[in-house]
């Protein structure tokens, strides 16, 4: 509700569960021959020929909704040859790796991508959450995190939102630094902005008010 109030004056808010109900248009199920990986997809999967990769067993969910799903531990590499991937997406993924392991993953993505390919990364904005803790507004996010709701202080809420289940924290500066160290050209973006029009057509940006967005 909070995020919807924040963003609905500029964008149409779509409910992913509603999108998955009913008939799926045939053109959505068609691929275009490009290699497109949605890394660490969990249940935020995409059609249009995207190969949704995750370590969790999501086969039944993917089959029900007609997604292409491949079980994959990306710590062992991406399932493609060097320089062949056209588009890569990582939404709410990189922060679950330590900085060292995250750098290794970004280097593996760099190995896989074509010279003209694009990767999009979305991570929680730790700097924004820190500022909300400092100015006393972070309690507005209790509705999206039970751990934060249970904490009585801004610092406790910040810790739950940034650290719980995560191995690293990012803001735009830290994300750009990691990407550059991995050999990428980083292009910080805003919600629903990208250097790739195809990326915007075929994928979703999650949690618009709380995240950093960056193309590379």
């Amino acid at each position: 509700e909070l995020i919807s109030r924040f963003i609905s004056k500029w964008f149409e808010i779509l409910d992913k569960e509603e999108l998955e109900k009913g008939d799926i248009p045939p053109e959505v199920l068609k691929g275009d021959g490009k290699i497109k990986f949605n890394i660490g997809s969990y249940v935020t999967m995409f059609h249009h020929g995207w190969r949704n990769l995750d370590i969790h067993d999501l086969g039944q969910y993917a089959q029900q909704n007609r997604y292409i799903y491949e079980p994959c531990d990306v710590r062992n590499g991406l399932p493609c040859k060097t320089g062949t991937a056209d588009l890569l997406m990582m939404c709410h993924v990189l922060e679950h790796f330590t900085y060292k392991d995250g750098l290794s993953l970004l280097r593996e993505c760099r190995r896989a991508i074509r010279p003209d390919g694009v990767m999009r990364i979305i991570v929680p904005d730790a700097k924004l959450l820190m500022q909300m803790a400092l100015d006393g507004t972070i309690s507005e996010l209790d509705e999206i995190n039970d751990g934060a709701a249970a904490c009585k202080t801004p610092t406790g809420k910040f810790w739950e939102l940034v650290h719980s289940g995560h191995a690293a924290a990012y803001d735009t500066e830290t994300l750009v630094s990691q990407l550059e160290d991995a050999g990428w050209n980083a292009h910080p973006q805003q919600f629903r902005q990208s250097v790739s029009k195809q990326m915007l057509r075929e994928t979703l940006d999650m949690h618009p008010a709380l995240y950093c967005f960056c193309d590379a």
Side-chain angles (χ1 to χ4, degrees):
E1 180 183 354
L2 172 68
I3 294 174
S4 295
R5 291 199 306 268
F6 177 86
I7 210 75
S8 60
K9 65 182 294 185
W10 296 289
F11 298 96
E12 179 183 4
I13 301 300
L14 301 176
D15 186 288
K16 186 171 180 295
E17 293 183 357
E18 289 295 325
L19 290 175
E20 292 172 342
K21 292 180 180 178
D23 295 331
I24 301 174
E27 62 271 18
V28 171
L29 299 174
K30 292 181 180 179
D32 56 5
K34 293 183 178 180
I35 297 177
K36 300 175 284 189
F37 291 125
N38 181 18
I39 300 169
S41 66
Y42 196 53
V43 296
T44 304
M45 297 186 180
F46 308 131
H47 290 297
H48 299 283
W50 281 80
R51 295 161 64 181
N52 299 282
L53 310 180
D54 202 284
I55 196 172
H56 295 95
D57 182 7
L58 301 166
Q60 183 177 358
Y61 171 83
Q63 184 177 19
Q64 289 173 344
N65 295 286
R66 303 181 69 179
Y67 293 113
I68 300 170
Y69 160 73
E70 300 176 25
C72 179
D73 185 343
V74 294
R75 293 172 296 185
N76 299 324
L78 295 175
C80 68
K81 296 180 180 179
T82 297
T84 58
D86 296 278
L87 294 172
L88 304 174
M89 166 66 97
M90 279 198 286
C91 178
H92 207 322
V93 174
L94 191 61
E95 68 272 19
H96 293 275
F97 293 81
T98 64
Y99 289 123
K100 179 180 178 181
D101 291 342
L103 182 60
S104 296
L105 176 57
L106 293 176
R107 286 173 174 162
E108 168 59 12
C109 291
R110 182 67 183 82
R111 176 201 68 80
I113 202 78
R114 292 168 55 91
D116 58 348
V118 175
M119 177 172 66
R120 187 166 179 82
I121 295 179
I122 304 173
V123 292
D125 188 339
K127 188 174 184 178
L128 172 62
L129 293 170
M130 188 183 304
Q131 185 59 51
M132 293 181 72
L134 291 172
D135 64 23
T137 60
I138 199 166
S139 60
E140 295 176 0
L141 305 180
D142 285 356
E143 62 191 45
I144 66 171
N145 186 292
D146 291 339
C151 291
K152 297 181 179 180
T153 67
T155 297
K157 294 178 185 297
F158 169 79
W159 183 258
E160 283 293 328
L161 287 161
V162 173
H163 173 77
S164 184
H166 299 161
Y170 286 91
D171 58 5
T172 299
E173 181 182 13
T174 307
L175 181 55
V176 167
S177 177
Q178 278 279 81
L179 285 165
E180 292 178 345
D181 285 349
W184 290 89
N185 295 318
H187 300 274
Q189 302 292 332
Q190 299 295 323
F191 176 68
R192 300 310 294 160
Q193 293 181 1
S194 175
V195 299
S196 169
K197 293 182 179 179
Q198 183 173 5
M199 185 78 74
L200 292 182
R201 286 196 309 268
E202 298 180 354
T203 70
L204 295 173
D205 284 350
M206 307 300 288
H207 307 292
L210 305 175
Y211 275 58
C212 295
F213 302 87
C214 192
D215 291 346

